[in-house]
Amino acid sequence: MITETLLADLHSHTTASDGQLSPTDLVARALDKGVQMFAITDHDTLAGLDEAHQFNNSQAQPLKLIDGVEISTRWNSFDIHIVGLNVDRGNSVLADFLAHQRELREIRAMEIGERLAKAGIEGAYEGAKALAGDAALSRGHYARWMAENGHAVDMPSVFKRYLARGKTGYVPNNWGDMASAIEIIHQAGGLAVLAHPSGYKLSAKWLKRLVREYKEAGGDAMEVVLGQQTLDDRNNLIALSHQNQLLGSIGSDFHFPSNWIELGKNLFQPQGVDWVWQSQSWVNRV
Ligand code: AMP
Ligand code: MN
Ligand code: MN
Ligand code: MN
């Protein structure tokens, strides 16, 4: 049997969270890059999806647009992100949950601002807020404002110095646990995907533990192909997905145009992965 492979990118951000392209511009870029199956997965919000569909539906050859969200959770004091794919964007349980996440974000953002002010960096809250506009505040907005205002050379450096776990501006996270986020995603008809598992700076032993406990918490899938990763990393993630009977997913985690990360870039689909979109519960919903 010959099955057609669609260029899939199932992790991306718009200005509805800490991305820098509007939903319209992001979908236009995805089309331009040849992406055929595309998920928008903003942090703790679905606010970009309606506009994205509107634009996509106006195209002569629309792409397959998947409704997604990236939920922040807490596991052993780490910030762990769980992507929900193919969720029903009209689901009220999910909407209520995300409204609560937004409140948590606002509280945390104010506290980040206070911590930075104590460290001598004034106006960061207001600056980040201005960049965020209507979007819920993210550390990404803080990093952008701080880089643009000379507090470090670029966003990764801001994280390294100020915003990463344990640094001056880091607020110990108070997100809910993985099981609750997975449960909400399921209630909204979606599948849960552990985001960028190798991005949490965990030792091999802790990463194994995370994936195992994620599976035990009800997780369906994990990202195994990322826009930027070594072959060793990819193989390790695929092995972990097999060991834990998790489906695989693929995504760039695109936030803004740069030399490093691009929509659809490096997202080849290796053999031997059971992809999340091939599962029966996905097929039933699409
Ligand atoms: P938050 O959801 O508010 O905790 O912010 C997390 C977001 O910050 C991530 O989704 C990235 O967009 C960004 N981020 C995290 N770590 C880094 C880093 N080392 N360099 C640049 N951006 C980062
Ligand atoms: Mn982000
Ligand atoms: Mn993430
Ligand atoms: Mn992301």
Side-chain angles (χ1 to χ4, degrees):
M1 186 177 71
I2 297 172
T3 49
E4 196 190 356
T5 303
L6 296 182
L7 178 57
D9 188 340
L10 303 181
H11 189 151
S12 70
H13 297 272
T14 75
T15 45
S17 67
D18 59 353
Q20 292 182 30
L21 299 186
S22 69
T24 295
D25 290 348
L26 187 75
V27 172
R29 194 178 183 94
L31 281 162
D32 184 54
K33 300 293 175 190
V35 175
Q36 294 163 299
M37 182 163 42
F38 183 52
I40 292 178
T41 56
D42 276 310
H43 297 287
D44 300 307
T45 183
L46 306 170
L49 297 176
D50 284 345
E51 181 191 317
H53 278 284
Q54 214 168 44
F55 175 76
N56 188 45
N57 291 335
S58 75
Q59 298 300 295
Q61 284 187 297
L63 44 70
K64 191 157 205 38
L65 185 58
I66 306 297
D67 288 335
V69 62
E70 181 172 15
I71 297 179
S72 305
T73 75
R74 174 190 156 94
W75 177 76
N76 283 308
S77 90
F78 291 98
D79 289 82
I80 302 296
H81 291 173
I82 299 180
V83 163
L85 290 179
N86 232 345
V87 293
D88 168 10
R89 68 183 187 283
N91 183 280
S92 65
V93 177
L94 179 59
D96 290 348
F97 178 84
L98 297 179
H100 179 61
Q101 294 284 98
R102 188 179 175 114
E103 282 169 25
L104 294 178
R105 276 191 175 276
E106 287 299 333
I107 295 166
R108 186 188 63 152
M110 282 191 272
E111 210 174 322
I112 292 174
E114 284 163 20
R115 285 177 189 237
L116 290 173
K118 270 190 202 145
I121 298 171
E122 298 289 344
Y125 175 79
E126 292 75 14
K129 189 95 187 155
L131 286 176
D134 291 336
L137 271 171
S138 151
R139 280 183 291 165
H141 297 113
Y142 269 102
R144 195 175 149 202
W145 182 85
M146 289 172 75
E148 285 175 3
N149 287 274
H151 296 288
V153 293
D154 55 17
M155 287 170 57
S157 311
V158 176
F159 269 90
K160 227 172 170 174
R161 255 172 85 181
Y162 296 106
L163 298 178
R165 188 165 170 268
K167 300 298 160 91
T168 323
Y170 180 78
V171 176
N173 86 58
N174 57 352
W175 306 120
D177 61 16
M178 294 198 294
S180 309
I182 293 166
E183 170 70 24
I184 297 288
I185 290 167
H186 288 164
Q187 283 189 36
L191 288 168
V193 182
L194 179 62
H196 41 65
S198 44
Y200 302 115
K201 301 202 172 77
L202 300 171
S203 67
K205 187 175 144 195
W206 275 78
L207 179 56
K208 265 191 169 168
R209 208 170 132 187
L210 167 65
V211 177
R212 193 180 67 231
E213 293 189 14
Y214 166 77
K215 171 71 181 186
E216 286 165 6
D220 306 293
M222 61 184 273
E223 290 179 355
V224 295
V225 175
L226 317 174
Q228 269 198 313
Q229 72 183 154
T230 63
L231 189 56
D232 275 354
D233 180 58
R234 177 173 303 186
N235 289 335
N236 183 45
L237 294 183
I238 292 173
L240 282 170
S241 74
H242 288 155
Q243 283 156 24
N244 292 279
Q245 290 172 304
L246 289 164
L247 302 164
S249 188
I250 186 165
S252 63
D253 202 3
F254 180 91
H255 284 71
F256 50 84
S258 75
N259 291 333
W260 312 110
I261 294 176
E262 186 52 81
L263 293 169
K265 191 177 164 187
N266 297 337
L267 301 184
F268 313 109
Q269 292 166 24
Q271 298 290 310
V273 176
D274 296 320
W275 298 103
V276 65
W277 57 87
Q278 296 170 335
S279 81
Q280 205 50 51
S281 44
W282 178 291
V283 173
N284 289 345
R285 255 190 69 77
V286 174

